[in-house]
Amino acid sequence: MEKGSIYEGSCFCGAVQFNVSGEPAVMGYCHCDSCRHWSAAPVNAFSLWKHDAVRVTRGADLIGTYNKTPRSNRKFCKTCGGHVFNEHPGWGLIDVYAAVIPTFKFKAGVHVNYQETVLPMHDSLPKFKDIPTEMGGSGATIAE
Ligand SMILES: [Zn+2]
Ligand SMILES: [Zn+2]
């Protein structure tokens, strides 16, 4: 645990700037259909941080929110459309997309919603069918 580490992040155009500090609660890949559509990518590399670890330093008024479900407040820059993070109110955690905090060393620990995968990955990490029990899922895992 490197306490005090700060990682800078931004949207695609740079109008929205933020940082995360400390270490995330968990990181990994989400294979769900929602993440796939939202990110326009086959998987979403997520890192989940406590609210007080995420600080918007510029362009807070430019951040838009889209709710497809009450579980996710998906945040994006209203100028460039770039995605920045996703608040999960039920968990008290914010998913900061690994791709928008380039200096942070992303290291996946888990795969979630693997039953929906379109990009199977063979990396020996645990693969949850949906999500772990402590986050409200079945906790069931799928073999590679
Ligand atoms: Zn932007
Ligand atoms: Zn997802």
Side-chain angles (χ1 to χ4, degrees):
M1 292 280 279
E2 278 181 63
K3 286 202 165 56
S5 305
I6 295 182
Y7 309 97
E8 303 292 336
S10 72
C11 65
F12 188 51
C13 76
V16 175
Q17 306 268 344
F18 55 93
N19 62 52
V20 291
S21 55
E23 295 297 323
V26 60
M27 41 187 158
Y29 295 105
C30 184
H31 296 256
C32 85
D33 176 68
S34 285
C35 282
R36 202 153 61 228
H37 264 87
W38 172 249
S39 63
V43 293
N44 170 36
F46 67 84
S47 65
L48 291 168
W49 305 73
K50 293 209 169 80
H51 275 249
D52 58 9
V54 182
R55 207 164 65 88
V56 175
T57 53
R58 205 175 108 190
D61 56 323
L62 294 172
I63 298 176
T65 302
Y66 183 76
N67 299 89
K68 189 174 189 180
T69 73
R71 294 196 315 179
S72 296
N73 301 326
R74 295 179 185 267
K75 305 283 185 179
F76 58 93
C77 169
K78 290 191 265 187
T79 300
C80 69
H83 302 163
V84 285
F85 40 81
N86 184 359
E87 278 174 10
H88 295 292
W91 299 335
L93 294 168
I94 299 179
D95 171 9
V96 181
Y97 303 119
V100 299
I101 40 174
T103 60
F104 175 71
K105 197 163 170 28
F106 176 76
K107 195 172 184 305
V110 68
H111 292 262
V112 296
N113 295 308
Y114 201 69
Q115 63 185 344
E116 298 174 50
T117 192
V118 295
L119 182 65
M121 294 178 168
H122 302 279
D123 55 10
S124 309
L125 292 173
K127 296 183 172 64
F128 286 91
K129 191 169 174 243
D130 42 78
I131 53 176
T133 41
E134 58 269 35
M135 302 191 87
S138 72
T141 54
I142 294 175
E144 274 192 356

